[in-house]
Amino acid sequence: MKKSVAAVLTAGIMAAGVISSGLTVFAEDAEEKTYSVTYNLNDGNTEDMPGFQFLSADMKGLTSYDSRLYVQIDLTLDGKDGYKLVSDCYCVENGKKAEVGDDTGIGVTMTTTAEGTYTDNGDDTITIDTPEHVHHDMFTDTYSIQMKEAAGMNVLGNTEDGSYDSDDLPEMTSMVPETVFTVNDKDEIVTYNYLHPEDYETEETEDGADAAASDSAAAGNELIAIPSDDEQTTFTLFDNGTYEFYFASYDVKDNGTYAYDADSQTLTITDANGKETKSEADGDNVKFHYEYSESDQLTGDFTVEAAALADALK
């Protein structure tokens, strides 16, 4: 009789997925689950992408202009308390993922893998802690290097292509801050945000040359906006002696100063690095070739009527 009762109890315990041994009880592991989101211009969701993607650059601007660019984020939960986050930025050409070294020249490897612990908040949100380990690969190709320079890709200031690991650079864990993910029952990441946004507000609004340059241009009133000959870029002159070069495809802004000689109708441009560019007369027009201060691959050829330029700058 005792054996029969013991057998029934054992069968019941095993059926419930629990094995009891002494005072220790082990529950069956919860199922592993992955939540994902892919941002791409063709999907119409790039404007919804947060301004950080756990990568070596903020790719929000570029993915909003170039449909070949994708950012895919996968958050895998092990069902206990461990997570694995993979954020991958890549280019697609002719329906295939472009690889570094292939004949497209636009292949880019920009991938972060992070592992740490998480908390399921029970309300369709998941909070991930600062990771215990981070690895990042950053490789560019013949043409994608232009994207690297335009977006300012770097790992803790390191701009060289290569593989970076937090075992060697512990500060890399800052690439994946404590973040709250909102998910749904379709295993999709709806959105994600910093857990402590106040820690990043100053950094995002004040840090970097772009912010300072933008402030400089904003201090003046627009006098004339000159579209490039291919209409891909714009060169705007302000009444405080500053200019802004804007390359829409890469969401790049470049600022500096200019001077105009009314007698010779010559425009002299000085960029942030002190490089000087002078316009040339071409009949009734003024022409100049401008190169982005951080990359001679991002350029624009501009033509403006001499009379219109003189009138704007009088």
Side-chain angles (χ1 to χ4, degrees):
M1 182 69 176
K2 289 182 180 180
K3 287 185 178 180
S4 177
V5 172
V8 171
L9 289 174
T10 301
I13 291 172
M14 292 298 290
V18 179
I19 301 175
S20 178
S21 176
L23 297 177
T24 304
V25 177
F26 300 95
E28 185 177 14
D29 290 346
E31 183 181 356
E32 181 179 278
K33 199 160 193 176
T34 298
Y35 297 94
S36 303
V37 62
T38 300
Y39 295 101
N40 178 253
L41 185 60
N42 293 324
D43 295 334
N45 63 351
T46 54
E47 292 300 322
D48 300 327
M49 181 168 64
F52 73 104
Q53 304 88 42
F54 317 101
L55 297 169
S56 49
D58 177 7
M59 303 305 293
K60 183 178 176 72
L62 293 184
T63 53
S64 296
Y65 287 98
D66 193 333
S67 62
R68 298 172 300 177
L69 269 173
Y70 289 73
V71 172
Q72 179 176 332
I73 300 174
D74 298 310
L75 177 64
T76 300
L77 312 179
D78 66 3
K80 292 177 284 189
D81 65 353
Y83 75 81
K84 179 179 180 180
L85 174 76
V86 178
S87 183
D88 189 19
C89 177
Y90 55 90
C91 291
V92 170
E93 183 79 357
N94 297 323
K96 293 176 57 179
K97 185 175 180 179
E99 303 289 347
V100 175
D102 65 20
D103 57 5
T104 68
I106 65 170
V108 59
T109 299
M110 191 179 184
T111 308
T112 296
T113 303
E115 297 168 303
T117 58
Y118 74 92
T119 301
D120 187 337
N121 302 310
D123 59 354
D124 294 328
T125 65
I126 296 158
T127 302
I128 64 169
D129 297 327
T130 301
E132 298 163 3
H133 180 259
V134 174
H135 182 90
H136 184 74
D137 291 321
M138 181 174 68
F139 295 95
T140 50
D141 214 335
T142 306
Y143 301 114
S144 63
I145 194 171
Q146 300 174 21
M147 179 180 71
K148 176 181 179 180
E149 295 171 340
M153 290 167 58
N154 74 91
V155 179
L156 301 178
N158 296 291
T159 58
E160 294 296 320
D161 280 1
S163 294
Y164 296 85
D165 198 279
S166 62
D167 287 347
D168 304 312
L169 295 169
E171 299 87 350
M172 281 182 62
T173 56
S174 63
M175 293 179 66
V176 184
E178 293 177 279
T179 305
V180 179
F181 287 82
T182 301
V183 299
N184 61 24
D185 57 7
K186 297 178 181 179
D187 297 341
E188 297 171 331
I189 295 172
V190 179
T191 189
Y192 56 91
N193 296 283
Y194 290 124
L195 179 61
H196 302 292
E198 66 277 5
D199 293 343
Y200 300 90
E201 183 176 355
T202 300
E203 177 182 327
E204 289 185 341
T205 57
E206 297 178 4
D207 190 29
D210 284 347
S214 180
D215 288 343
S216 174
N221 297 310
E222 179 181 316
L223 295 178
I224 186 172
I226 308 168
S228 61
D229 297 347
D230 61 5
E231 299 185 344
Q232 296 299 306
T233 60
T234 306
F235 200 89
T236 304
L237 303 177
F238 300 89
D239 64 359
N240 64 346
T242 65
Y243 71 81
E244 180 175 275
F245 168 74
Y246 182 56
F247 201 120
S249 298
Y250 291 94
D251 195 26
V252 167
K253 293 180 180 179
D254 199 20
N255 298 82
T257 61
Y258 72 89
Y260 178 67
D261 186 322
D263 294 333
S264 62
Q265 294 185 321
T266 300
L267 185 67
T268 302
I269 301 159
T270 305
D271 71 15
N273 292 326
K275 181 180 178 180
E276 191 173 272
T277 300
K278 285 184 179 290
S279 67
E280 296 180 353
D282 183 21
D284 294 331
N285 297 320
V286 171
K287 290 179 170 285
F288 60 94
H289 175 82
Y290 184 80
E291 295 181 355
Y292 175 52
S293 63
E294 298 298 328
S295 170
D296 59 9
Q297 300 298 312
L298 302 182
T299 67
D301 289 298
F302 297 87
T303 302
V304 58
E305 290 184 0
L309 183 63
D311 184 62
L313 301 181
K314 64 182 179 182

